[in-house]
Amino acid sequence: MNKLYHGAAFYPELWSGEVVREDIRRMAETGINVVRIGEFLWSTIEPEEGHIDVSPLAGVIRQLYEAGVETILCTPTATPPIWYTHGHPERLFVNAEGTPLGHGSRQHACTNHPAFREKAAVITERLAQELGRLPGVIGWQLDNEFKAHVSECMCAVCRRLWHEWLYRRYGNVERLNELWGTRIWSESYNVFDQVPQPGPTPFLHNSSMQTMYRLFSMEKIAEFAVEQTAIIRRHSAAPVTHNGSVAFHIDNERLYRHLDFASFDTYASAAHYAAYLLNCDLYRNFKPGRPFWIMETSPSHAGSIASSGTPHPNGYLAAEAVAAYALGAEGFCYWLWRQQRAGSEQPHGSVVSAWGKPGLGYPNVLEAEQARQAIEPAITGSRPAQAEVAISYSDRAKAFLATESHGKLRHRGLVSGAYERVLRTGMHRDLIPEGASLEGYKLLWTPFIPYLSSDLIARALAFVERGGIWIVGPLTGIRTEEHTVPVDAGLGELESLTGTETVFTYAMDGTGTVGSAFGLEAPLSLWSSVYEPVEAKSIGTLIGGPSPGLSFLTEMKRGQGRIVLLGSLPAGDEGNEMLERMLIHYGKVANVTRRAETTIGTIVAPRESETEELWVIVNMNGEGGSVTLPREGIDKLSGERAAAGRLEVGRYEYRMIGFPSVSSRK
């Protein structure tokens, strides 16, 4: 990584040439050194089918480059023009109620329709052919926020593709019937063509069908990304990404497998800074060893004609930028540069207003640019340090929990809560996808993944045998690959490894059940599993409720490590403290060394080079705080000595402390 990028989304097609020139001039003054363009201009460059002219865009890219501003070029496939769907209702996205979604917003076309794939290929190829090698084009973004506003399409084309997908997965319909348990309610099928899409029904669809349809949809959007990427690579050497999110209906791990770098959009407010950091710690691991990008965040607040967010407090934007760069980002970009004068997102925060004056966030953008310049030499000269603690993340689990929500389970909220518990311990952490390597980790927590693959179990078991601590649960391992209940044991393949026997599974909420562990008592919640230890040791015991005396937390030694089974989620403040004590305890057992003593709301992002360990310290909650330095270091921003011991950090302040690495001190 040679430089840090500070950018914004730019829509030259919406403004006159004079305004575009003025915007480019001001970008250079502001320190914006990259823009993202092209994502919504399909009708501008192809107003009538087959009449494509991308030359105006080429001129803008040249103007930007001459001003020192580089370009991420986007494919415009999120907003097909009216000519694509007018008179062709069969090309529209159809929602779960069977209603086609009309033109007028975005993501209104079914991305699986062959006509869409054909037209998307044509427009993408023209862009890549004519613009892909222009000076200043440093990357590509596919589409915009796949599946942000829609989920699974129910059109006729998707029904046909669904049946083909089922055939490839199961081979014969008898196997599908057996694995799905379709004799229940006489749901058995004679041929694949009879299997419906999970549309309107009097009660609830079979869980297997719902989850499989979600996975089918995730695979098809990833397939579209592969097609688009292949077209671009025929004409351009610039790397390809997509601006994803944990909130969208996509499998991020599968999507980024075939892309060159990961990027995401986030509009987490200052009050939810943990959700912002979660994205950084996750997207760093979709393409290990490669920097990620934040493609969209607001310079002040998000907004639309339906709602508007709270502006960031002064100082917070620079803290966001420094934290992102320190945690592995190469680019930190805003939506958007100039406020939109029309459309549905007029209230959205921007760097400059629609009338060309500095926006509310403009002074904070200048602060972020000042921070970028200050930290750039140290950041580009180092790399994120290996975390010793990992949290498993699964978008496939999102599909399972969407099907079996028990009325309240939300994947994003569950994962965010688990992440915040680890964040508060001060342990440096990664969120890692299911297929990630476990090399270098000492403590692994795998919560909220109903189906654990045999591959993940095998790799985690090997991790434990080598000395790792694996905390499993809650809501993990309780379902099969086809979203059914295991019949050999409550946790299926996992159970024999844990030294426990699952006795009951039920919803703890409202039962009055309390869990006792680590010197605390806390109410238990969610769909839970309770155990009778066989070879394992009970760490947490149930008090009251339907099954007092059984265990919700057990520990089993295997090889040089341990498997810790967490069957229920401790709730409330007491429950959060219990989880944090659990994590700190097993962190010590695992000999986790990358743990900083910080006050809540102040983080340490550790980095390293050949000669130095670098602590990037950022206050994220606006309350100030402190961190304890383990030894004397050098303040990289002032050049002054930083004594070992307590270091005070002000409101949204950032510090960079360098320590000679162990090898360089020898």
Side-chain angles (χ1 to χ4, degrees):
M1 188 164 66
N2 298 318
K3 66 187 290 186
L4 300 179
Y5 286 95
H6 188 199
F10 184 40
Y11 300 93
E13 70 272 18
L14 304 181
W15 303 97
S16 68
E18 180 181 355
V19 170
V20 168
R21 287 188 292 273
E22 172 60 20
D23 277 345
I24 293 173
R25 183 194 65 78
R26 179 172 277 176
M27 285 175 193
E29 287 182 354
T30 307
I32 296 298
N33 60 12
V34 65
V35 295
R36 189 187 71 184
I37 61 175
E39 59 190 328
F40 300 133
L41 53 52
W42 194 341
S43 67
T44 299
I45 59 177
E46 192 178 9
E48 297 178 20
E49 185 175 1
H51 297 273
I52 301 174
D53 181 10
V54 303
S55 58
L57 200 54
V60 173
I61 293 171
R62 291 189 182 98
Q63 289 181 62
L64 288 162
Y65 183 65
E66 289 168 2
V69 182
E70 295 177 289
T71 297
I72 299 285
L73 191 55
C74 304
T75 59
T77 50
T79 52
I82 189 63
W83 57 255
Y84 173 74
T85 51
H86 185 68
H88 296 283
E90 76 281 359
R91 297 176 176 179
L92 292 167
F93 179 95
V94 177
N95 67 17
E97 287 70 45
T99 303
L101 303 185
H103 185 92
S105 181
R106 58 183 180 180
Q107 299 185 354
H108 52 281
C110 173
T111 53
N112 293 329
H113 198 285
F116 176 83
R117 295 288 182 96
E118 176 190 350
K119 301 305 178 185
V122 169
I123 197 68
T124 297
E125 185 132 40
R126 283 292 294 275
L127 287 166
Q129 283 176 328
E130 299 191 32
L131 307 178
R133 292 187 175 90
L134 288 180
V137 175
I138 62 166
W140 288 84
Q141 177 194 292
L142 301 177
D143 202 269
N144 179 261
E145 298 185 340
F146 285 145
K147 298 292 184 179
H149 305 293
V150 297
S151 52
E152 300 81 37
C153 179
M154 302 292 175
C155 75
V157 166
C158 287
R159 183 169 63 249
R160 175 178 58 79
L161 295 173
W162 162 236
H163 294 149
E164 293 174 2
W165 187 87
L166 292 173
Y167 175 77
R168 290 193 300 272
R169 182 178 179 89
Y170 298 104
N172 59 73
V173 76
E174 290 78 15
R175 185 166 181 265
L176 178 149
N177 285 324
E178 177 62 27
L179 292 174
W180 287 13
T182 57
R183 291 182 183 178
I184 295 174
W185 290 359
S186 295
E187 292 173 345
S188 300
Y189 307 108
N190 299 312
V191 293
F192 285 116
D193 287 357
Q194 294 173 338
V195 182
Q197 297 160 298
T201 191
F203 184 47
L204 296 173
H205 278 297
N206 182 298
S207 62
S208 300
M209 184 180 72
Q210 291 189 67
T211 298
M212 292 308 110
Y213 199 83
R214 290 186 167 100
L215 296 181
F216 153 75
S217 178
M218 289 177 174
E219 288 188 21
K220 297 306 287 186
I221 198 66
E223 174 191 89
F224 174 57
V226 169
E227 288 181 6
Q228 291 273 289
T229 301
I231 293 168
I232 291 169
R233 286 177 177 158
R234 288 201 292 266
H235 306 285
S236 176
V240 182
T241 190
H242 172 72
N243 55 331
S245 169
V246 296
F248 303 160
H249 302 276
I250 58 175
D251 181 346
N252 283 279
E253 182 178 14
R254 189 182 188 96
L255 176 68
Y256 290 111
R257 189 178 300 156
H258 301 287
L259 304 184
D260 298 307
F261 66 103
S263 64
F264 65 89
D265 296 351
T266 177
Y267 291 96
S269 67
H272 296 96
Y273 67 87
Y276 175 81
L277 298 170
L278 178 153
N279 283 283
C280 296
D281 285 338
L282 173 62
Y283 279 78
R284 179 174 64 241
N285 292 292
F286 283 128
K287 301 298 290 189
R290 303 181 190 181
F292 64 87
W293 280 55
I294 296 179
M295 281 297 179
E296 291 186 21
T297 196
S298 177
S300 54
H301 61 278
S304 71
I305 55 176
S307 64
S308 186
T310 302
H312 291 324
N314 289 333
Y316 179 69
L317 196 67
E320 274 194 316
V322 172
Y325 291 132
L327 291 168
E330 183 178 37
F332 180 80
C333 305
Y334 308 112
W335 202 88
L336 71 170
W337 169 258
R338 181 179 283 258
Q339 178 188 15
Q340 293 195 343
R341 67 174 186 85
S344 63
E345 294 180 297
Q346 299 165 42
H348 202 291
S350 57
V351 182
V352 300
S353 67
W355 56 95
K357 299 296 184 182
L360 179 63
Y362 189 84
N364 293 301
V365 171
L366 297 181
E367 283 186 7
E369 172 58 15
Q370 184 179 23
R372 182 194 69 83
Q373 292 183 26
I375 69 174
E376 186 174 51
I379 296 295
T380 56
S382 61
R383 59 190 176 275
Q386 165 72 51
E388 295 173 330
V389 176
I391 309 166
S392 300
Y393 176 86
S394 169
D395 282 309
R396 294 173 64 83
K398 186 192 316 180
F400 278 74
L401 293 174
T403 295
E404 190 176 1
S405 70
H406 297 272
K408 63 183 177 181
L409 298 181
R410 300 294 180 269
H411 179 260
R412 187 180 183 184
L414 292 171
V415 172
S416 296
Y419 173 81
E420 192 164 357
R421 303 283 68 78
V422 179
L423 180 68
R424 287 170 64 96
T425 68
M427 293 188 290
H428 183 42
R429 74 261 118 219
D430 281 339
L431 268 77
I432 59 172
E434 291 179 89
S437 168
L438 300 180
E439 191 67 32
Y441 296 112
K442 297 178 179 179
L443 175 64
L444 173 66
W445 185 14
T446 306
F448 315 122
I449 302 183
Y451 165 66
L452 283 178
S453 70
S454 295
D455 173 68
L456 178 52
I457 291 174
R459 289 185 293 109
L461 183 59
F463 163 80
V464 171
E465 297 282 354
R466 295 192 302 267
I469 306 294
W470 185 25
I471 303 174
V472 186
L475 284 172
T476 297
I478 63 172
R479 296 291 179 260
T480 69
E481 184 175 6
E482 305 301 322
H483 202 148
T484 61
V485 176
V487 295
D488 51 344
L491 298 179
E493 180 183 350
L494 177 67
E495 186 152 318
S496 63
L497 308 175
T498 65
T500 64
E501 180 182 344
T502 301
V503 181
F504 302 119
T505 59
Y506 60 96
M508 287 284 187
D509 304 87
T511 65
T513 304
V514 171
S516 176
F518 299 104
L520 293 171
E521 293 184 0
L524 298 178
S525 67
L526 303 188
W527 185 262
S528 303
S529 302
V530 295
Y531 314 111
E532 186 73 59
V534 180
E535 299 174 78
K537 178 172 66 174
S538 179
I539 303 297
T541 305
L542 301 178
I543 300 173
S547 53
L550 292 176
S551 296
F552 74 97
L553 182 63
T554 64
E555 175 191 304
M556 172 72 175
K557 291 185 178 180
R558 291 196 66 92
Q560 300 179 57
R562 307 182 194 187
I563 298 179
V564 178
L565 196 57
L566 177 61
S568 186
L569 184 68
D573 292 341
E574 302 92 343
N576 288 336
E577 185 176 350
M578 182 184 289
L579 288 171
E580 289 164 26
R581 287 192 187 185
M582 176 191 74
L583 292 163
I584 291 170
H585 169 76
Y586 285 111
K588 290 178 180 178
V589 172
N591 193 30
V592 170
T593 59
R594 291 199 181 279
R595 179 174 178 238
E597 294 184 20
T598 66
T599 53
I600 300 302
T602 298
I603 68 159
V604 172
R607 298 179 64 86
E608 57 191 8
S609 67
E610 299 304 318
T611 60
E612 186 177 56
E613 181 179 4
L614 179 68
W615 277 21
V616 184
I617 303 160
V618 190
N619 176 254
M620 298 294 295
N621 66 359
E623 298 176 9
S626 66
V627 59
T628 301
L629 301 183
R631 57 187 187 276
E632 181 180 295
I634 298 295
D635 189 315
K636 304 292 287 187
L637 299 176
S638 68
E640 297 177 355
R641 182 180 68 87
R646 185 169 176 172
L647 176 70
E648 297 292 334
V649 184
R651 181 177 186 270
Y652 297 131
E653 185 180 10
Y654 57 91
R655 305 287 294 273
M656 299 180 72
I657 308 299
F659 308 99
S661 66
V662 174
S663 60
S664 68
R665 296 203 307 268
K666 292 180 179 179

